[in-house]
Amino acid sequence: MTKFDAIASRLEGQAIELPSWAFGNSGTRFKVFGQPGVPRTVEEKIADAAKVHELTGLAPTVALHIPWDTVDDYAALKAYANGLGVDLGTINTNTFQDDDYKLGSLTHPDAAIRKKAVRHALDCIEIMDATGSRDLKVWLADGTNYPGQDDIRSRQDRLADALAEIYAALSDDQRLVLEYKFFEPAFYHTDVPDWGTSYAHVAALGDRAMVCLDTGHHAPGTNIEFIVAQLLRLGKLGSFDFNSRFYADDDLIVGAADPFQLFRIIVEVIRGGGYGPANPDGHSGVAFMLDQCHNIEKKIPGQIRSVLNVQEMTARALLLDREALGAAQDTGDVLGANEVLMDAFYTDVRADLAAWRESRGLPADPMRAYAESGYQSQIENERVGGTQAGWS
Amino acid sequence: MTKFDAIASRLEGQAIELPSWAFGNSGTRFKVFGQPGVPRTVEEKIADAAKVHELTGLAPTVALHIPWDTVDDYAALKAYANGLGVDLGTINTNTFQDDDYKLGSLTHPDAAIRKKAVRHALDCIEIMDATGSRDLKVWLADGTNYPGQDDIRSRQDRLADALAEIYAALSDDQRLVLEYKFFEPAFYHTDVPDWGTSYAHVAALGDRAMVCLDTGHHAPGTNIEFIVAQLLRLGKLGSFDFNSRFYADDDLIVGAADPFQLFRIIVEVIRGGGYGPANPDGHSGVAFMLDQCHNIEKKIPGQIRSVLNVQEMTARALLLDREALGAAQDTGDVLGANEVLMDAFYTDVRADLAAWRESRGLPADPMRAYAESGYQSQIENERVGGTQAGWS
Amino acid sequence: MTKFDAIASRLEGQAIELPSWAFGNSGTRFKVFGQPGVPRTVEEKIADAAKVHELTGLAPTVALHIPWDTVDDYAALKAYANGLGVDLGTINTNTFQDDDYKLGSLTHPDAAIRKKAVRHALDCIEIMDATGSRDLKVWLADGTNYPGQDDIRSRQDRLADALAEIYAALSDDQRLVLEYKFFEPAFYHTDVPDWGTSYAHVAALGDRAMVCLDTGHHAPGTNIEFIVAQLLRLGKLGSFDFNSRFYADDDLIVGAADPFQLFRIIVEVIRGGGYGPANPDGHSGVAFMLDQCHNIEKKIPGQIRSVLNVQEMTARALLLDREALGAAQDTGDVLGANEVLMDAFYTDVRADLAAWRESRGLPADPMRAYAESGYQSQIENERVGGTQAGWS
Amino acid sequence: MTKFDAIASRLEGQAIELPSWAFGNSGTRFKVFGQPGVPRTVEEKIADAAKVHELTGLAPTVALHIPWDTVDDYAALKAYANGLGVDLGTINTNTFQDDDYKLGSLTHPDAAIRKKAVRHALDCIEIMDATGSRDLKVWLADGTNYPGQDDIRSRQDRLADALAEIYAALSDDQRLVLEYKFFEPAFYHTDVPDWGTSYAHVAALGDRAMVCLDTGHHAPGTNIEFIVAQLLRLGKLGSFDFNSRFYADDDLIVGAADPFQLFRIIVEVIRGGGYGPANPDGHSGVAFMLDQCHNIEKKIPGQIRSVLNVQEMTARALLLDREALGAAQDTGDVLGANEVLMDAFYTDVRADLAAWRESRGLPADPMRAYAESGYQSQIENERVGGTQAGWS
């Protein structure tokens, strides 16, 4: 049995949630470039996501962003998704695109606006009830642009109150995951800027409140795998938003900027018990999601590349010889321990993964399979007219 | 004579160019919040800029961005501006909002697209001829998002060729200023990411090509005043784009994030001969411009605050006791030299500046004067309907 | 009554602890430059600290670093200090200069070395009993240089166990403050790299365990005043290590690099109740300490400058018109709120502080008073021979 | 013929210069941990370097640091090295450890100290004459710690004058390479902080002055391969100091922190003509050097690991299918072009390199060969007494 054979079974069941918005247009403040074939409706987004899953077997669920993906009948939407072989996943709140939220949402000085933002989250929980989603993901654009603009401390207190109100509305099998982000769109202070703040809030809320770690939301030089290890140790790592970055929140394809970092992150996920099936109570599983922008590359192959990157790094991480690693660590063999880790990273798993896919009825090379499938030209031909989906 | 009296005359003639786009809507990729009273036309932008100048005496010119500010008759536009007491200034090219430029403009792999971008710059030079503008400012969004996407080296060569073609079209009293930017909208590599690259290109072009230093376009921790000193030493500091930042290219009000840094920058400008009237040949003057976004604050008072910040720091920098400073520096008195510098920075010049303004027929407090002027409510009432100006 | 008069009484009792090691030699890995007059003994360090207090009235206590400041009789040392008008303060552990600690101390893979490090901390607590110190400050150099070198997760668990053992040895009126540091001397991962990690540990320990915030120990761009506000809100801000930085942990004079940041930090300290006398139980007061290196400037005036900087920014922060600020914040007046804050920062308090000092029998200008005191030439003449103190 | 076979011949002749100081003790300002077996003399350093070359075939030269490696007879030292199968390489100046240089060397305000520093460089050129070294490497610790401490502009002028004096003393077959460094040991400003400054100076000096790029000497987020491409384009890339970093100038083993970055750098070196034999004039070859600290790991295997990392990434970079890459780039196939690049990076070349080594009489696994050679225990037994080499 090869080394790969020994870990092959652990690749089964790997599931990476796709964000519906990755299939819509996105860009920077300078320009959003449109692309032919981009979905006009949430159904078209789900169809594209289903295509990714069909070719990779890695992406069984799709996250929704409310109100971008608002529909009248979520049960029907779920049935539609199921018919395409996927399911609906995390529900994402959005309290950053209404004029009322210019100076904040859950932290706004005006109680009426905080109430509106809480109401939006409660509405999202109702959608979760309809879709059967486990996780409500809360990312806030809240913050200030100028020193003195608002009271940092009061905003934390308002935030705690608002989150408590939302948390109280969750059913026992639902979770709240609170995402943090270093900066942007606020430029002086952000109300949930780091894992410590997110952790302090979710610890105060209760067992079903967890931290969401977006890999692009850290200060330069931050050791992300350390945070992964710490949150798993504290029992509070709820989910990942995967992407990659060179500078700020670049939202590039996961693994594109620093593949070795992605490898180290997954090594710590596995080490800390965050990989594999959730505990029987269903509450402790870490959710793996993408949160990316394909500003210039094509959306569907961009998503295929992304889930493959996660899978390839997972295979490498699973190949890590933990016994040899532990032995080197325990004897203080710095170079030896590093070499064991690097050996796993440098192992080229691509051919083995291709064979593994074929043995499961999947295309050996999902990128090529997509290119040859004709799907891209089909959607470019069919999706004419209407308004392409984007961040609004 | 007070210390302030001794430097008061050197404040005369300080001129800070306003960007027309600062009066339009702006925001982040997440949301552009509109504001009542925002201009719908370039004329309305100029009117707002003229109001800033009227109240401060600091902003005699307005920079235009093409095609955002395209009009049929630039001579008429100039006459309109003159009628309001201001003039037209720098012409800014824009090669980042056309679909053709998704993968680059002056550096694009396709010669036809490079030609189109060069053509745009040549058109801008024609506008300069009509407006009497001295400076053509070239900022490029060019870069790549993924390693391998394009050939870094070839793009430099294409850039050099394109710039040479543009430079050749300038008349003897016109200049090209090449702006650099660390990142955004490109996230893997940017074609003009640092002052060294801009310098290498403008040095190759000739005497009338200069570097534009945008204070927000640097890596974390970069000592900007060093670059100012270096470019002045090399005779290549063409202009400033002032703004401030805590993180990336935040485009906050100049001096808002780190007033001491703004002070140090201006100290080096004065030290290096970049402050005051240009040399007789008219080619060596450093242009002081703002390039900011008032995403959440009101535009006109945002601009007033900005020019006042520059003026206040200029006054402090002029108060620097260079004799005492030099004496301390020459004797290696580290703390003494620092104290001389800090003494200038900590001197509260605001009351003196208020008196100085009044003595010149300007309001003592331009911010309050604007608030009491009724102009804001007037434009909010009058500018109804139409499409508010923004970044497109 | 002037504005300054209204806040003058709140400046009474401000106390900033001086680090004994600031008077010894320090430098970088490239070179430690010696200076004439540097102390050879802890008594000489205390004498220098007492001189700072004599001239400023701001520095009534001196922190010790063990084993750098080890003596046989701490009661005698305390009496010596008291005789000079100061007292002994925080006791700092040191588990980074023994060969055993090359790969860690409280987190070391070898239980025997962890035990040794714990033993050192327990010894420090015994010293606290003798000196009457309230705070045991634990800063760890623990971390790894290469990915894989040791198990990140296991090190956290070992750390938690070791801290629990140390904490258990504290008496009811003693506290443990756990300092975090982004990086250095470890370069891949640090075991306590951020406030979140320190907070998670001290929250697990109990009420008398608190976080120590060193202003130089953060990632680039980190909003430190936010952390101040957050830790005060969570009741876990134990102490400050003040210094300033442009790049990494530069350990420059507090306020030298970004005086506006120091102002904002103190504004949040006051806002959050961290300034002024401790609660009756004696456990909640935030300790203000310096932790700096005067690598090239003279040590004693370097310390004088530092405490003056803190005092000046405290005066400015106290001058903040919180009523006007709150009114502007509540109405969403972004520029107005910022202007209220900036007004306090820009107010030149130096003359008022000079008068305030004189009215209390202190020199108006402590820097000049030191220069004219003859103390520097005295110690340079007297302290000849022996081994100058440094970081070992 | 396999893909590897096709590039194997291009691996011949790869030469990476070892720094003599990598075999001595090093550390941080907190602690330098000694190691058994560390050289006491320059001869012992050379012996260790020769062992690295014996086992890898990659390290035919050793760089010297003056005065750390000062000897009476350089011709004899060269003969000694030759006898061990290696040669002497670059001569490094050191103007940062003498008390005179506390406030600068080539930029010092005092002309006498500048003269002393120039004299040191001239002495180093005399050593080059004796050793036959081509390159004089100048790295300066010059800078200031506090704003105002010295005049930034004047220091540039003094630097230019001093460099001109040194450059004039070079013979026609000697070069000056000027290294830049973002910060440390200076913390406010550094006199040669970026490639632009180094470039401006060497361009002014002449053809035999070049830039030295140390991979650890950049601001966070800097795209280093861009600088490589730019300097090669400008004909001014003289040499590399390889190492790696997560935070500041960590000086970790090259390729340890971000192997993908090392790959991209070498891709640009090859693309720009910087790899392979120098031009006939002998002046244009890029020198590949290590500049690292093995603070906690063993020195000799640390150096072996380093040269192997460079070799492995060179092999991957040579495997890049430039035809396919160019085709994808020219058609704007973003994901396709990136995939071609990643294919080269992900190719596991280790087994091929092992075979390649064996075919040339080298051990397949130099790390294991070293471990089994007995050399480490030999030097640990023999090198007892004396003073271990370090940074002084």
Side-chain angles (χ1 to χ4, degrees), chain B residues 93-275:
Chain B
T93 66
N94 176 325
T95 56
F96 52 89
Q97 293 193 315
D98 186 298
D99 282 339
D100 279 345
Y101 299 137
K102 189 164 81 164
L103 303 179
S105 63
L106 298 183
T107 67
H108 198 287
D110 183 337
I113 291 173
R114 296 200 297 277
K115 188 173 178 182
K116 174 177 171 173
V118 169
R119 181 67 255 164
H120 170 72
L122 300 182
D123 290 345
C124 287
I125 295 174
E126 286 184 26
I127 294 171
M128 292 166 69
D129 295 336
T131 57
S133 301
R134 182 187 63 173
D135 289 353
L136 178 73
K137 189 164 70 178
V138 176
W139 170 69
L140 300 171
D142 292 42
T144 59
N145 272 4
Y146 292 99
Q149 179 186 325
D150 198 7
D151 189 65
I152 290 174
R153 168 67 178 272
S154 300
R155 292 172 74 96
Q156 286 297 309
D157 296 335
R158 295 174 204 143
L159 175 60
D161 290 345
L163 289 173
E165 196 172 343
I166 296 166
Y167 185 74
L170 294 171
S171 68
D172 285 352
D173 53 357
Q174 292 173 337
R175 312 190 310 177
L176 181 157
V177 290
L178 181 60
E179 186 171 344
Y180 59 92
K181 188 173 199 282
F182 187 50
F183 80 99
E184 194 212 23
F187 294 130
Y188 162 58
H189 107 278
T190 295
D191 289 298
V192 189
D194 53 21
W195 78 264
T197 296
S198 183
Y199 170 69
H201 281 288
V202 299
L205 290 174
D207 286 348
R208 285 169 296 109
M210 311 285 276
V211 176
C212 173
L213 187 162
D214 182 298
T215 50
H217 289 186
H218 301 87
T222 301
N223 185 321
I224 298 174
E225 58 268 29
F226 176 87
I227 300 175
V228 170
Q230 184 68 273
L231 285 173
L232 282 165
R233 176 180 173 271
L234 296 168
K236 283 297 188 187
L237 181 59
S239 58
F240 277 101
D241 269 6
F242 278 125
N243 51 60
S244 73
R245 53 165 283 207
F246 289 94
Y247 302 96
D249 186 23
D250 305 349
D251 276 334
L252 300 179
I253 288 173
V254 54
D258 187 348
F260 182 41
Q261 183 189 56
L262 177 59
F263 168 79
R264 299 193 310 264
I265 288 171
I266 296 181
V267 165
E268 289 302 327
V269 169
I270 296 169
R271 164 64 180 91
Y275 182 77

Side-chain angles (χ1 to χ4, degrees), chain A residues 103 109-110 145-154 156-158 160 182 188-197 199-201 219-223 225-227 229-230 232-234 260 264 268 271-273 322 325 328-335 337-339 341-342, chain C residues 103 109-110 145-154 156-158 160 182 188-197 199-201 219-223 225-227 229-230 232-234 260 264 268 271-273 322 325 328-335 337-339 341-342:
Chain A
L103 302 179
D110 183 336
N145 271 5
Y146 292 99
Q149 178 186 324
D150 198 7
D151 188 64
I152 290 174
R153 167 68 178 270
S154 300
Q156 286 296 311
D157 295 335
R158 295 174 204 142
F182 188 51
Y188 162 57
H189 108 277
T190 296
D191 289 298
V192 188
D194 53 21
W195 78 264
T197 296
Y199 169 68
H201 280 289
T222 300
N223 184 321
E225 58 269 28
F226 176 87
I227 300 175
Q230 185 68 274
L232 282 166
R233 176 180 172 270
L234 296 167
F260 182 41
R264 299 193 310 264
E268 289 302 326
R271 163 66 179 89
R322 288 180 180 273
L325 182 66
Q329 290 173 340
D330 288 345
T331 55
D333 181 0
V334 174
L335 291 170
N338 179 248
E339 189 164 333
L341 189 81
M342 298 312 293
Chain C
L103 302 179
D110 184 336
N145 272 5
Y146 291 100
Q149 179 187 323
D150 198 6
D151 189 64
I152 290 174
R153 168 66 180 271
S154 300
Q156 286 297 309
D157 295 335
R158 295 174 203 143
F182 187 50
Y188 162 58
H189 108 277
T190 296
D191 288 299
V192 188
D194 53 22
W195 78 265
T197 296
Y199 170 68
H201 281 288
T222 300
N223 184 321
E225 58 268 30
F226 175 88
I227 300 175
Q230 185 68 272
L232 283 166
R233 176 180 172 269
L234 295 167
F260 183 41
R264 300 193 310 265
E268 289 302 326
R271 163 65 180 88
R322 287 178 180 274
L325 182 66
Q329 290 173 340
D330 289 345
T331 55
D333 181 1
V334 175
L335 290 170
N338 178 248
E339 189 164 333
L341 189 81
M342 298 312 293

Side-chain angles (χ1 to χ4, degrees), chain B residues 103 109 146-154 156-157 160 182 188-191 193-197 199-201 219-223 225-226 229-230 232-234 260 264 268 271-272 325 329 332 334 337-338 341, chain D residues 103 109 146-154 156-157 160 182 188-191 193-197 199-201 219-223 225-226 229-230 232-234 260 264 268 271-272 325 329 332 334 337-338 341:
Chain B
L103 303 179
Y146 292 99
Q149 179 186 325
D150 198 7
D151 189 65
I152 290 174
R153 168 67 178 272
S154 300
Q156 286 297 309
D157 296 335
F182 187 50
Y188 162 58
H189 107 278
T190 295
D191 289 298
D194 53 21
W195 78 264
T197 296
Y199 170 69
H201 281 288
T222 301
N223 185 321
E225 58 268 29
F226 176 87
Q230 184 68 273
L232 282 165
R233 176 180 173 271
L234 296 168
F260 182 41
R264 299 193 310 264
E268 289 302 327
R271 164 64 180 91
L325 182 66
Q329 290 173 340
V334 175
N338 178 249
L341 189 81
Chain D
L103 303 179
Y146 291 99
Q149 178 186 323
D150 198 7
D151 189 64
I152 290 174
R153 168 66 179 270
S154 300
Q156 287 296 310
D157 295 336
F182 188 50
Y188 162 58
H189 108 277
T190 296
D191 289 299
D194 52 21
W195 79 264
T197 296
Y199 169 70
H201 281 288
T222 300
N223 185 321
E225 58 268 30
F226 176 87
Q230 184 70 272
L232 283 167
R233 176 180 173 270
L234 296 167
F260 182 41
R264 299 193 311 264
E268 289 302 326
R271 164 65 181 87
L325 182 66
Q329 290 173 340
V334 175
N338 178 248
L341 189 81

Side-chain angles (χ1 to χ4, degrees), chain D residues 195-208:
Chain D
W195 79 264
T197 296
S198 182
Y199 169 70
H201 281 288
V202 300
L205 290 174
D207 286 349
R208 286 171 294 109

